[in-house]
Structures are given as C-alpha cells and as structure tokens.
Amino acid sequence: MPVAVITGASKGLGRALAAALAERGWDLVLGARTADVLKESAGYAGRHGTRVVAVPGDVTDAGHRTELVASARELGGLDLLVNNASALGAEPLVRLDVLPVAGLRAALETNVVAALGLVQEALPLLRQSPAGAVVAVSSDAAAEAYETWGGYGASKAALDHLAAVLAVEEPGLRVWSVDPGDMQTDLYTAAVPNDTDPRPSPESVAPGFLRLLEERPASGRYAAPSLLEIR
C-alpha cells in the first residue's frame, strides 16, 4: 500500500485528507501537536482498515520530523509528503505595522523552515518511491495582497518558492503547491474571528488534492477549487 505523511493532521484539511487517503487504501503517518485530538483523527481515518500511525509533536522540532519519517519507513516507505501544518503569526491577524516580529518569525519557522526540514528528512524515501510526491499546502494570501494577511502570506509565498525550486532540483518527484481556497477551519476562525460568512468544508476540498494524485500533472502551483471543476 502507498504511504503518506501528513502534518497538521489532527483537524481541518489535514484530517480530511487523511480520511480521504485512507478510504483509498493509503497507510498514513499523521503528525500534530495536540495528542488527544490527533489520536481521535487517526482513529477516524483508521476506520477504513489501513494502518494509521499517530505521532504527536511540533513540526518545528527536528526530533519530531525524524520520528515522522522513521514511522513511514516502518510502514514500508514513503510515497507522499503533505506539509500542511501552519502558523498564522498572530491570532487574530493584524496589520503589518503592529505585527509582532516574533510572530512573523514563528510563522516562518513552522510554514517554511520546518517544511523544508521535513522534506530534507523525507527525500531519501521519496526518491525510492515509483511515484514520490510532495504537497505544500499554500494560500491565496501567498499571491494576493489582503489587509492583515501580510505575515502569513509572506510565509506561504516563501513555501511556494521552495516547492518550485524543489521541483526543479528533484525532477523524479512531483512537487505541488496547492492553494485550498477558503475553508471553514479553526485556523481561519483564529485568523478572522468576526467573519461568519459560510465557507466550504475541508472535506469538500480534499477531492481536489486527490485528483493531483490520480492524474499526476506536472509539478507546479494549483488551486484546489479549480481541480474540482469538471473538465
């Protein structure tokens, strides 16, 4: 069975992707900081009968990243790495003139530095896979200028560029940076708590990511909503 590592997998998009992949026969290694919530999400994905390993920890910790990849190795290898764990930098989001520098640093550490560290840890296994792939979960804030989204958007723009360069340096892999679009998640609520407009659920967006795995288009940046359109 193919094996995937997903960070930020305790809720939101990470949880939805885990369940969708397990339903299609994938074995999973799931990482997140909150152990009890992660355990519940692992059980939710595991109901499909595949092997699901929960590895609680912070992706900014090198030891945790090593444990994630070691768990994949024990399952037989690694075919997909999903860098989904994200930090906002400020909750709720604030304008750049008052954005704490420490908050920006934290967002960069989680969204960029840790993502690269995990890729580096995972590359030996990904290169051995006949269909190795890396997904960097991005944001439209990486490409568009929205008030208060500057710090978070800058971190995701940096992640996009790392993914683009990785694709050039690792032509044997597929490297996709994916903007999931607006979703109803705890992260969005923390970012903009006063925005009560209805938004798509992560479960409704996950099929866009699955389409990438099924069709394996060229490495590049994609928007999950466009992947859901009938062609």
Side-chain angles (χ1 to χ4, degrees), residues 83-224:
N83 272 316
N84 173 63
S86 296
L88 291 168
E91 298 182 10
L93 295 178
V94 294
R95 290 165 51 96
L96 289 176
D97 60 353
V98 292
L99 175 66
V101 172
L104 175 60
R105 187 175 291 115
L108 291 168
E109 189 69 30
T110 297
N111 303 350
V112 186
V113 178
L116 176 59
L118 186 53
V119 166
Q120 291 173 338
E121 192 81 32
L123 272 176
L125 289 182
L126 288 168
R127 288 166 176 158
Q128 293 172 17
S129 169
V134 176
V135 170
V137 178
S138 185
S139 168
D140 58 343
E144 302 292 339
Y146 302 127
E147 187 174 358
T148 75
W149 288 84
Y152 179 77
S155 71
K156 289 297 186 177
L159 179 64
D160 280 354
H161 194 67
L162 283 183
V165 173
L166 181 65
V168 173
E169 295 179 345
E170 298 290 336
L173 303 179
R174 288 290 191 273
V175 184
W176 301 303
S177 183
V178 184
D179 166 17
D182 287 346
M183 295 181 294
Q184 188 59 53
T185 63
D186 288 354
L187 186 76
Y188 187 85
T189 298
V192 193
N194 294 325
D195 186 348
T196 58
D197 290 343
R199 298 181 185 281
S201 69
E203 289 76 15
S204 71
V205 174
F209 288 78
L210 298 178
R211 186 169 187 173
L212 288 174
L213 296 172
E214 293 164 358
E215 299 182 3
R216 293 186 63 81
S219 296
R221 193 177 194 278
Y222 293 85

Side-chain angles (χ1 to χ4, degrees), residues 56-72:
D58 192 322
V59 74
T60 63
D61 175 22
H64 174 61
R65 298 194 297 266
T66 297
E67 189 177 359
L68 289 171
V69 176
S71 296

Side-chain angles (χ1 to χ4, degrees), residues 10-11 31-40 56-57:
S10 62
K11 50 190 175 180
R33 290 178 297 176
T34 309
D36 56 343
V37 181
L38 178 63
K39 181 178 178 181
E40 192 278 330

